[in-house]
Amino acid sequence: MAQLAILQPDARGAARLSGALNGSHDFVLHSSWESLEEGLAGRPVEACLVDVDHPDRDGAKQRLRAFRARFPDLAVVACVESAKAAGFFGLGELGLAGVVVTGGEPARVRTDVDVALRAARAQQAERALNDRYQAPGPAAIAWAVEHAGTGATVGRLATGLGHTPGSLREALSEQNLPTPATILLWGRLLLAGARLGDDDRRAEDVAFSLGYATSTSLSRAMKQHTGLTPAEVSRRGGMSVVLDALLPPPGAAPGGATDPRSSPLARWATTGLIVALSGCATFGSGRSHIDDDAVERVLASPDIDQMHVGILAIDAATGQILYTRNAHRKFVPASNQKILLTATALSLLGPDYRFRTEVWATGSASGSFLDGDLVLVGSGDPSMSGRYWDSGTAALEAIADSLVEAGLRYVAGSTFVDVSSWDSTSVAPTREADDLRYAYGSTGGAFSIDEGEIEVVVRAGPAVGSPAVVQWAPIGTDDFVRSRIRTSPPDSTTRVMPSYLAESRQLVLEGVVEWGTTDTLAFAMRDPVRQAAATLAGAMQRAGIETEGGWEIKWTPGERVGRGCLSGMLSSCGSAGVITAIESPALSELIGGILKPSQNWMSEQLVRALGADFGAQGSWAEGVGVMEAHLVDDVGVDPLDIVLRDGSGLSAYNLVTPRAIVRVLHDMHMGPHASAFRAAMAEPGDEDSTLEDRLPGLAGRLFAKTGTISNVNSLSGYLVGNGGQEIIFSILTNGSGLPSTRVQEAIDAIVEILAR
């Protein structure tokens, strides 16, 4: 419980505050400024709650200035009766920590006090660091403390400090401070320290309030970064001891140590080197009950013994190694790459992150008439498909309908699709050419629908040799599909091959369809942004919106998109405003759409979105760079353990070690998003998941990610053993030359041995 002093001369106001705060904080009531100041002389107090209408508004303002000068380090919170509290006094000028509406419900009062205390603790941390670090270090720590447990992300942190994620990372690095993601973690630990020490809260309650899955998760994070347990933090001074452990004052080291290399900051700086030298040293070195001989017998099978295999299994609770084989060697991971991608995205963006697609109007509106242009700003939303809507077209029809609901019927200008925040590359690096034909190799962009796929319905003609009837969705441009498909005799085989003609931007379909049959096929769209823009234009036309100037895509920042407005810069254009927007489901749901069915297109959208949010632009190079930086700097993966080229794992140029995958899985297991990450993985028996027909005996106990490309099979994730022991494992195989089903049988046999 925080120690509070309350100035409230009105008996009714004092009763309301007492009733609301009783049991949650210790406090002493005062009826005058003089009594308050005398009481502070003999009692340690963390914050003062002051009635800012006492004796009157102007008088309270004068007393507050004098009070702040006498007690500069004491947090002062304004107590007001009005719900419009932000209009009182110019609170920022007085340096107040927050506002409490005393006339509100008790729960609201407690929340207001907690918010104000969080802000006060942020100010306390910033003051303590101002003489140790230059900007933006102290302000970044303060922001992280103030927003701890509220879904804070690196993007919000950077914006709050007037930076981009990239420029903030560079500025912190110049001060020898860790990455923004680590700063956010430290903010949680600092607020945890305050609640453990100053508020005397239980570790379980503190962990829950800050987003940790269990008190054990909080304890491990606190121990790893400060060298202290929550109990030690509580006994030795709360937030101040955590701050000094994380960022020791000049010439000092935590716990009185004389060697500054013992500080968590020094340990953070050298983690990559330690891991590189010691391999799996941080996971322990003992062995347990795993039947090594049984695993070896599986791997010694005549058709399996020729392939390359890497395995690591550890006890999730202790980090003890249970089984290891070539855990330090690099393998092509196939779709196990998605573990690295989704772990990065959840950690940096948070589970509640949503993609937002906005439609802006530039110019002036009068009734249903817009004398200007419409601009749709693409965000790379990967959810506009039948996985989350009736179809991608339905998602765009929802946008059109919302424009009609806003009253729009006629646009005198054009409809622009602004995709300038991403580069225009549609094919991931190192992609094999033949992959580009089919749905699993679909390409995307900042505005794209239907998971980059086009669905084609092919119906045989009336006679053998006659042209087939072809329909497709989304419609996009009317001439997008050119069919050369003919009707073949009965009992023949339907075969259709797609080819994309870049010069005409058409998808050419060649082949035959058996007489009397209809077949539905899916191919890669290959022109996704243009087809999505055309589909949007069609949806607007069907909704009754007439656009005089047609539609146009803007690929490059700084292009004209309306009167005085430029692509990529609409927020700074005075003549532009948002008319409507749609948001994706939360990221926690989207990663389920990636991991369970192993969806490649959504993965590549997500990796480019990371580049747009935390790098220079939405490109594979920037997004992969964000992944690498997070995994190495924040998770502690050995940089020699990963070679990343995409987000989906379709590239055969990706390389990763089993120990790197296990490290990432362990980091997520110990972090605040453990349950969301685990729930997003495939489970045996899950409909439409990659484990639907595998390992049925482990239903409810196996949460894992498969991986399959030519001569590559993998499986990594979480497993509950027969005795209740939780195991984190990674099994990577390369170069089998066997059918995937045969290799999967061997992998499944090993998982069953691990579970015994």
Side-chain angles (χ1 to χ4, degrees):
M1 299 183 183
Q3 307 297 312
L4 307 176
I6 300 176
L7 170 60
Q8 177 53 266
D10 180 76
R12 289 174 300 176
R16 285 197 295 268
L17 285 171
S18 298
L21 298 177
N22 189 34
S24 62
H25 297 289
D26 285 335
F27 55 87
V28 176
L29 287 167
H30 299 274
S31 59
S32 68
W33 284 97
E34 292 75 17
S35 171
L36 173 64
E37 294 183 9
E38 289 175 6
L40 292 175
R43 177 184 174 89
V45 170
E46 187 169 356
C48 291
L49 276 60
V50 176
D51 180 359
V52 290
D53 276 321
H54 176 68
D56 53 55
R57 207 159 292 177
D58 291 335
K61 189 172 183 179
Q62 295 176 3
R63 294 301 295 259
L64 276 169
R65 284 203 174 105
F67 187 84
R68 296 292 294 128
R70 182 176 176 186
F71 302 99
D73 295 329
L74 185 61
V76 180
V77 180
C79 291
V80 300
E81 292 287 337
S82 170
K84 298 180 180 179
F88 278 71
F89 290 110
L91 298 175
E93 175 190 344
L94 294 173
L96 303 188
V99 178
V100 172
V101 181
T102 58
E105 293 293 325
R108 169 68 187 276
V109 172
R110 290 192 293 272
T111 298
D112 288 346
V113 170
D114 286 341
V115 169
L117 286 174
R118 188 185 295 120
R121 285 154 175 167
Q123 293 172 5
Q124 177 187 343
E126 186 170 12
R127 284 194 301 268
L129 294 174
N130 277 334
D131 60 347
R132 307 183 201 176
Y133 297 93
Q134 298 178 5
I141 293 287
W143 194 98
V145 172
E146 185 169 1
H147 296 84
T150 62
T153 65
V154 171
R156 289 178 56 202
L157 168 61
T159 301
L161 300 180
H163 279 266
T164 66
S167 69
L168 179 59
R169 179 186 290 270
E170 291 177 4
L172 293 172
S173 178
E174 290 174 0
Q175 295 293 310
N176 292 319
L177 288 169
T179 63
T182 299
I183 291 291
L184 291 177
L185 187 152
W186 286 6
R188 290 212 311 273
L189 294 179
L190 286 164
L191 188 56
R195 291 177 174 174
L196 289 167
D198 302 327
D199 296 356
D200 196 24
R201 300 272 182 90
R202 296 188 312 157
E204 291 81 359
D205 297 333
V206 173
F208 180 79
S209 70
L210 293 176
Y212 289 97
T214 64
S215 60
T216 302
S217 299
L218 170 61
S219 298
R220 289 182 182 277
M222 187 71 77
K223 186 71 173 178
Q224 177 185 353
H225 288 267
T226 70
L228 302 168
T229 66
E232 289 171 327
V233 169
S234 181
R235 289 196 307 268
R236 293 169 57 179
M239 189 174 77
S240 60
V241 72
V242 175
L243 186 64
D244 287 344
L246 294 172
L247 298 164
T258 57
D259 185 355
R261 290 174 297 176
S262 64
S263 73
L265 184 60
R267 292 199 298 273
W268 163 80
T270 58
T271 296
L273 177 61
I274 292 170
V275 173
L277 293 176
S278 62
C280 294
T282 56
F283 289 136
S285 57
R287 293 308 248 337
S288 187
H289 68 282
I290 299 300
D291 187 344
D292 293 12
D293 292 339
V295 175
E296 297 301 324
R297 284 194 295 273
V298 172
L299 298 177
S301 302
D303 54 348
I304 297 295
D305 62 354
Q306 288 184 302
M307 69 183 183
H308 305 283
V309 182
I311 304 173
L312 179 62
I314 69 168
D315 185 304
T318 66
Q320 182 182 24
I321 293 176
L322 306 177
Y323 182 88
T324 181
R325 178 191 178 103
N326 295 327
H328 66 296
R329 297 191 183 278
K330 293 194 257 309
F331 294 81
V332 178
S335 285
N336 270 207
Q337 181 87 347
K338 294 180 176 74
I339 292 174
L340 311 184
L341 167 68
T342 53
T344 299
L346 263 183
S347 298
L348 297 184
L349 296 170
D352 298 326
Y353 175 86
R354 297 173 188 269
F355 289 82
R356 180 177 170 87
T357 302
E358 297 179 339
V359 180
W360 292 62
T362 69
S364 59
S366 176
S368 62
F369 180 85
L370 173 63
D371 186 14
D373 304 277
L374 283 180
V375 187
L376 180 141
V377 181
S379 64
D381 185 346
S383 72
M384 292 191 225
S385 71
R387 195 177 301 275
Y388 300 98
W389 297 77
D390 287 342
S391 65
T393 300
L396 302 189
E397 288 173 342
I399 293 177
D401 290 343
S402 65
L403 291 173
V404 171
E405 290 174 6
L408 186 66
R409 293 292 187 279
Y410 185 87
V411 180
S414 302
T415 296
F416 295 106
V417 175
D418 181 359
V419 292
S420 61
S421 62
W422 288 29
D423 73 3
S424 58
T425 304
S426 62
V427 178
T430 71
R431 191 68 85 239
E432 292 187 12
D434 205 47
D435 290 338
L436 302 179
R437 299 173 183 264
Y438 303 109
Y440 67 83
S442 294
T443 57
F447 180 55
S448 186
I449 62 174
D450 287 323
E451 297 177 359
E453 298 178 21
I454 184 167
E455 183 180 89
V456 178
V457 179
V458 181
R459 184 178 299 107
V464 173
S466 64
V469 178
V470 175
Q471 296 175 302
W472 67 91
I475 295 297
T477 54
D478 293 339
D479 62 345
F480 179 52
V481 176
R482 182 195 302 176
S483 174
R484 296 173 181 167
I485 305 172
R486 295 282 171 174
T487 303
S488 61
D491 299 324
S492 61
T493 301
T494 296
R495 289 198 179 109
V496 177
M497 290 289 291
S499 298
Y500 179 68
L501 303 182
E503 71 279 4
S504 62
R505 290 182 171 174
Q506 287 181 315
L507 187 70
V508 177
L509 303 178
E510 298 180 283
V512 294
V513 57
E514 180 188 359
W515 182 85
T517 65
T518 298
D519 208 348
T520 300
L521 309 168
F523 302 110
M525 198 177 294
R526 293 301 309 279
D527 192 15
V529 174
R530 184 166 174 264
Q531 296 308 312
T535 304
L536 172 66
M540 291 172 57
Q541 185 178 29
R542 291 191 297 275
I545 301 173
E546 183 179 353
T547 304
E548 186 71 26
W551 59 270
E552 185 178 346
I553 299 170
K554 294 298 184 181
W555 300 94
T556 307
E559 293 187 286
R560 178 193 171 278
V561 289
R563 299 175 184 178
C565 300
L566 302 177
S567 58
M569 307 174 191
L570 278 174
S571 60
S572 61
C573 182
S575 63
V578 176
I579 298 181
T580 190
I582 63 171
E583 291 187 337
S584 73
L587 181 62
S588 57
E589 185 175 347
L590 295 180
I591 65 167
I594 291 173
L595 292 177
K596 288 182 184 294
S598 199
Q599 221 295 321
N600 291 334
W601 181 86
M602 290 179 66
S603 301
E604 303 303 353
Q605 290 289 100
L606 186 55
V607 74
R608 294 174 76 184
L610 288 173
D613 280 1
F614 300 102
Q617 65 174 167
S619 68
W620 272 281
E622 291 291 321
V624 166
V626 170
M627 287 173 61
E628 289 176 339
H630 170 71
L631 296 173
V632 172
D633 296 344
D634 303 331
V635 180
V637 170
D638 184 340
L640 297 177
D641 278 11
I642 52 173
V643 177
L644 309 183
R645 292 291 181 267
D646 65 10
S648 67
L650 190 56
S651 171
Y653 287 74
N654 292 308
L655 293 172
V656 64
T657 65
R659 73 182 179 191
I661 291 180
V662 168
R663 182 175 292 278
V664 173
L665 290 168
H666 187 265
D667 180 76
M668 294 303 293
H669 173 71
M670 299 302 298
H673 310 312
S675 58
F677 191 59
R678 180 186 302 249
M681 289 195 168
E683 300 179 49
D686 265 359
E687 186 177 0
D688 296 328
S689 84
T690 55
L691 287 179
E692 181 176 4
D693 299 317
R694 291 175 63 180
L695 293 161
L698 294 177
R701 295 165 51 195
L702 177 64
F703 312 87
K705 181 70 200 77
T706 59
T708 305
I709 58 176
S710 297
N711 299 314
V712 175
N713 291 95
S714 52
L715 186 68
S716 303
Y718 305 103
L719 170 67
V720 179
N722 293 349
Q725 178 187 30
E726 187 155 7
I727 298 166
I728 300 174
F729 71 94
S730 177
I731 304 172
L732 306 181
T733 73
N734 284 185
S736 70
L738 298 170
S740 289
T741 52
R742 175 66 188 104
V743 182
Q744 289 169 2
E745 288 173 1
I747 290 174
D748 292 356
I750 293 171
V751 172
E752 289 172 337
I753 293 168
L754 294 177
R756 290 176 186 168

